[in-house]
Amino acid sequence: MEAMEFEGKTVDEAIEKAVQFFKTPKEKLSIEVTSDGSQGFFGLIGSKKAKINASQMQDPVEEKKDKAQNFLTEILRLAQIPSSVRAELIDKKIFLTIKGDGSGLLIGKKGQTLDALQYLISKMVNQKPEDRVPIIVDTENYRHRREAKLALIAQKLGSQAKRQKKSVATELLNPQERRVIYLALKNHPDLTAKSEGEGKLKKVIISPRNLAHKLIKL
Amino acid sequence: MKELIKFIAEALVDQPNHVEVNEVEGERTSVLELKVAKEDLGKIIGKQGRTARAIRTILAAASAKINKRVVLEIME
């Protein structure tokens, strides 16, 4: 944020002008006094104006939000994908929504292009591991649609496991996707779920509960 | 594509002025050679190559649009 100079008869007056200019309370301004000003004789001769440099203090999270939006906009422009990016701050998370041509190019196979963008933007914005802000990149409501689909898959595989009285596995899923499966089956009386595999991508094994008991006994 | 890789690399590293991208153009396939400061190599590759993979995924999506194969090589 760029600093601007303000003048007044006194420092307080100069600050007041800055407050009105930025339309923000004094506490949210970063102020540097460059000249105290003097009244001179009876405010007539030799009076000097008080000068300050003021700029708007930015909330670090807001700053990251702007940064993330700029990075993503620039990447899409350079990739020659016509689109615009909306940025919002919800629950201390940065949501970036891309409005594109709807071709699905930005989503990629199982959302991998979207995940790649999300991962890189997060790396760029959260360079220091402390005060990391989660970033979610979405387009065409993909994240929500994927969640709904996964919940449906959980139900389907769940009833299959019950019917066939044996464990069934999902495809390889990332942690967020696995979470959806777990949530969908959390309160199910007859089914249990656990992850299996190495690395970021794992399968979720859905088993009928009595079978799980049997396994433990064995 | 060259500018895209340059921009992404510069945003990831500590020494953006040491980022260099060379394009070797072929008929169907282009090769982008990315050079960064030695200390920044880890930032470009990432844990288990995750960052490099993400960059390549975006490159693949961008080059699919222009019907060309673009390969990213990270030079050591």
Side-chain angles (χ1 to χ4, degrees):
Chain A
M1 213 21 117
E2 222 159 300
M4 300 246 315
E5 195 182 59
F6 295 91
E7 291 181 347
K9 280 191 201 114
T10 61
V11 171
D12 282 345
E13 196 185 290
I15 291 173
E16 183 51 36
K17 278 186 185 165
V19 166
Q20 285 183 0
F21 179 84
F22 288 115
K23 294 189 178 65
T24 189
K26 189 171 137 189
E27 290 71 33
K28 286 200 171 167
L29 289 175
S30 140
I31 291 164
E32 183 201 358
V33 178
T34 49
S35 162
D36 275 334
S38 62
Q39 297 287 3
F41 279 116
F42 308 108
L44 289 172
I45 313 152
S47 73
K48 243 171 67 190
K49 279 191 171 165
K51 283 181 188 171
I52 61 161
N53 282 329
S55 60
Q56 226 166 339
M57 253 197 278
Q58 269 226 354
D59 177 20
V61 179
E62 283 284 333
E63 209 170 313
K64 283 190 174 183
K65 188 190 90 179
D66 292 347
K67 235 173 137 181
Q69 185 178 21
N70 291 340
F71 277 138
L72 185 55
T73 307
E74 190 61 10
I75 287 174
L76 295 172
R77 188 185 71 80
L78 290 169
Q80 291 168 23
I81 299 168
S83 52
S84 61
V85 177
R86 197 179 72 220
E88 287 162 295
L89 209 61
I90 306 165
D91 285 342
K92 290 185 182 148
K93 291 184 190 140
I94 298 169
F95 284 83
L96 299 172
T97 312
I98 308 169
K99 200 170 181 307
D101 57 1
S103 65
L105 180 77
L106 276 168
I107 299 173
K109 207 170 133 199
K110 283 187 202 158
Q112 65 176 10
T113 307
L114 214 49
D115 287 340
L117 285 168
Q118 177 172 305
Y119 179 75
L120 285 181
I121 300 291
S122 174
K123 281 267 152 189
M124 292 170 178
V125 174
N126 295 309
Q127 297 237 350
K128 294 185 204 109
E130 62 264 22
D131 45 74
R132 201 178 150 272
V133 186
I135 291 175
I136 294 102
V137 177
D138 198 7
T139 185
E140 294 159 42
N141 209 14
Y142 174 76
R143 302 277 178 213
H144 184 77
R145 280 191 287 139
R146 177 81 181 144
E147 244 177 61
K149 199 175 163 198
L150 283 168
L152 202 69
I153 288 173
Q155 296 303 339
K156 251 190 184 164
L157 292 179
S159 41
Q160 190 191 333
K162 251 171 76 178
R163 205 172 51 240
Q164 302 178 343
K165 294 193 173 56
K166 63 177 191 190
S167 300
V168 288
T170 65
E171 56 191 292
L172 288 169
L173 302 172
N174 69 33
Q176 292 88 341
E177 292 172 330
R178 292 201 297 275
R179 193 178 150 262
V180 179
I181 304 280
Y182 283 125
L183 284 178
L185 298 174
K186 198 176 85 181
N187 293 321
H188 203 291
D190 311 322
L191 295 169
T192 59
K194 66 175 190 336
S195 294
E196 204 176 272
E198 293 285 319
K200 283 259 166 210
L201 297 178
K202 293 186 178 90
K203 290 175 179 175
V204 180
I205 314 288
I206 301 166
S207 316
R209 203 175 275 277
N210 48 2
L211 188 69
H213 282 310
K214 262 183 218 162
L215 280 174
I216 291 162
K217 273 178 202 161
L218 284 172
Chain B
M1 290 305 120
K2 193 177 150 184
E3 282 72 37
L4 174 67
I5 295 305
K6 195 157 187 280
F7 177 80
I8 293 175
E10 283 176 350
L12 289 169
V13 299
D14 290 329
Q15 301 174 53
N17 48 335
H18 282 90
V19 171
E20 236 180 89
V21 185
N22 257 321
E23 189 164 15
V24 184
E25 243 179 293
E27 209 162 293
R28 296 279 303 147
T29 310
S30 271
V31 180
L32 291 174
E33 298 175 340
L34 171 64
K35 261 187 224 168
V36 298
K38 215 175 166 189
E39 302 77 35
D40 280 332
L41 211 52
K43 291 218 151 144
I44 289 294
I45 295 170
K47 263 186 216 144
Q48 293 166 337
R50 199 169 165 204
T51 309
R53 199 168 338 125
I55 300 174
R56 290 193 170 109
T57 302
I58 292 169
L59 191 61
S63 53
K65 253 200 109 138
I66 53 170
N67 255 321
K68 200 170 182 181
R69 217 170 83 87
V70 185
V71 181
L72 174 69
E73 286 212 29
I74 298 163
M75 315 297 277
E76 285 190 53

